[in-house]
Amino acid sequence: MDRKTFLIICVAIIILSDVLRRTLMNRISNKLTRLLLNGDYAAFDELADKFYTKYFVAPFNLDFVKMNSYLARGDDQKVNEILDHFDQCRLNAKQKYAVYSSAFYYYLTMEDTKRCKKYYKILTENPDPKQDMTMTHWLYDTYIDHGSKYLDDILNRYEDAPENMKPQLDALLARIYENQGDKKNADIYNRKLKEYAKKLDKKLSEQQEGKKDVE
């Protein structure tokens, strides 16, 4: 075998190996995502702990999807553990935003002020220029600092905001007015939230009835 042929074969093997690795990585990642979306956490954990999963799926990607599974389950202990693990890792700006924005929203929901402040600080000190932090700042000021400094900004954007974003803005505005002690305006936006909740509940009920009819 001449040198040229040998080199061609070596390059072909490298390319095929890389293609195979990427194919297996995608298949495993897609299966993990499906299991997560279906709420099959037992099967998810089993697959995530397989030796070949750890070999083919990049460590950050595997840890990130694990974190999302713990967030979905509301497993506080596991969430805390994996975030503590991420704190010890060297992450780029994109990875930091992906991890710590999820952490911020989770602890905000859990009303864990200490951890919420921690991850807000990380996000603001290591910003990803490609990400919009506007909502994060609004939420932090409103729910953590109990402030109202973004009231005018939110009101200015309210009318042109997409309809699916209005409930979140309604909640923010209601809380901001509560922070100011303005019960009248707070009640206006709380009523809008209740109306939205009723519409959503009705829509979900209709969908359930539709499924029963099909069955």
Side-chain angles (χ1 to χ4, degrees):
M1 183 184 297
D2 60 46
R3 181 179 176 82
K4 183 178 180 181
T5 302
F6 177 75
L7 288 173
I8 291 173
I9 292 173
C10 287
V11 171
I13 291 172
I14 292 171
I15 293 173
L16 288 173
S17 297
D18 186 60
V19 170
L20 178 61
R21 182 183 65 81
R22 289 178 180 275
T23 300
L24 289 171
M25 180 186 71
N26 289 335
R27 285 184 178 178
I28 295 169
S29 297
N30 290 338
K31 187 171 183 181
L32 285 169
T33 301
R34 286 198 302 273
L35 291 171
L36 178 57
L37 292 174
N38 292 333
D40 192 346
Y41 301 125
F44 174 92
D45 289 339
E46 183 178 355
L47 178 58
D49 287 336
K50 295 287 188 183
F51 76 92
Y52 56 79
T53 300
K54 295 175 182 178
Y55 178 79
F56 285 110
V57 181
F60 172 81
N61 294 344
L62 183 56
D63 287 338
F64 186 70
V65 75
K66 281 183 177 181
M67 182 190 75
N68 284 325
S69 81
Y70 303 145
L71 291 171
R73 302 179 220 191
D75 189 330
D76 292 343
Q77 182 177 344
K78 289 290 187 180
V79 171
N80 293 341
E81 288 175 359
I82 201 160
L83 284 170
D84 288 341
H85 162 71
F86 276 125
D87 289 345
Q88 307 305 315
C89 298
R90 296 186 64 178
L91 308 178
N92 59 39
K94 183 178 180 180
Q95 291 171 337
K96 283 180 180 178
Y97 181 82
V99 171
Y100 297 128
S101 61
S102 296
F104 172 79
Y105 282 101
Y106 178 76
Y107 289 119
L108 184 68
T109 304
M110 295 294 104
E111 298 183 346
D112 187 332
T113 302
K114 183 178 178 181
R115 284 183 178 266
C116 202
K117 286 182 176 181
K118 172 184 175 179
Y119 292 113
Y120 177 76
K121 183 179 180 182
I122 293 175
L123 286 169
T124 53
E125 290 181 348
N126 303 272
D128 180 352
K130 296 181 181 179
Q131 301 295 337
D132 184 359
M133 289 278 291
T134 301
M135 183 58 72
T136 306
H137 293 312
W138 287 356
L139 289 167
Y140 188 87
D141 179 72
T142 303
Y143 291 96
I144 303 301
D145 283 347
H146 308 291
S148 58
K149 69 179 182 180
Y150 294 110
L151 175 59
D152 291 339
D153 288 345
I154 298 171
L155 288 172
N156 288 336
R157 298 195 192 190
Y158 188 88
E159 291 303 323
D160 295 329
E163 286 302 313
N164 62 350
M165 190 179 176
K166 290 285 180 69
Q168 191 171 12
L169 297 181
D170 289 333
L172 274 167
L173 289 168
R175 178 59 69 91
I176 287 173
Y177 283 120
E178 287 172 7
N179 292 344
Q180 291 182 332
D182 186 342
K183 187 176 184 303
K184 180 179 178 181
N185 277 313
D187 287 345
I188 290 173
Y189 290 99
N190 276 322
R191 281 197 296 271
K192 288 186 177 184
L193 278 172
K194 289 178 181 178
E195 290 171 6
Y196 173 78
K198 287 180 181 178
K199 289 179 182 178
L200 182 61
D201 185 58
K202 181 180 179 182
K203 186 176 181 180
L204 290 173
S205 297
E206 290 173 350
Q207 288 178 346
Q208 291 298 322
E209 289 298 322
K211 287 182 181 179
K212 289 180 182 178
D213 292 339
V214 171
E215 293 173 357

